[in-house]
Amino acid sequence: MKLPKLLKLSQALLSDNKNNMDDRKKCLKEIQRKLKKKSKRLKEKLDCETNEDLKNTIKKDLAVVKAQRKKVVNELLKLKESKD
C-alpha cells in the first residue's frame, strides 16, 4: 500500500467514531504494522541514498510516518483504557 493511501486510511480511522471498537482496534494494529514496515524501508533507503535532495524527501516522509504511527499508538492506548 502506498504511503498517501495508508496515511489517508489511518487518518480516517483515527477520526471516525462509528466503527466497532474491536474492528477499529484490529484495523489500527494492521496499519501500525504497515507503517512500521514502511518506516524500516525508508530508513534503509535513507542509509543507501547519496543524493541530498532525495535524502531530504525521504527524511520528510519518514517524519510523517513516525508522526502517524505515534497517533495510531496513542489511539490504541485510548481504546485499551476505555475497554478496561
Side-chain angles (χ1 to χ4, degrees):
M1 192 177 295
K2 299 287 182 175
L3 182 60
K5 188 174 181 181
L6 190 60
L7 293 174
K8 190 182 292 184
L9 176 64
S10 65
Q11 190 62 36
L13 281 172
L14 289 171
S15 64
D16 189 15
N17 292 327
K18 296 179 184 177
N19 286 343
N20 187 1
M21 283 179 51
D22 291 334
D23 292 338
R24 189 171 179 191
K25 188 175 179 182
K26 219 181 277 186
C27 262
L28 286 171
K29 282 185 177 184
E30 183 180 339
I31 290 171
Q32 182 185 15
R33 280 193 300 268
K34 288 181 180 183
L35 286 171
K36 187 174 184 178
K37 286 181 184 178
K38 182 65 94 171
S39 177
K40 284 183 180 181
R41 285 191 209 124
L42 286 172
K43 285 179 185 177
E44 290 172 2
K45 195 174 182 181
L46 183 63
D47 291 338
C48 297
E49 193 57 52
T50 58
N51 187 348
E52 287 300 319
D53 291 336
L54 289 176
K55 275 189 173 186
N56 290 336
T57 305
I58 293 170
K59 285 180 183 178
K60 287 178 186 176
D61 287 345
L62 191 57
V64 169
V65 169
K66 284 183 179 181
Q68 198 65 28
R69 275 193 73 209
K70 190 173 183 177
K71 287 181 185 178
V72 169
V73 168
N74 287 337
E75 190 66 25
L76 283 169
L77 289 174
K78 285 181 189 176
L79 283 173
K80 184 178 180 183
E81 288 174 0
S82 67
K83 192 173 185 180
D84 291 338

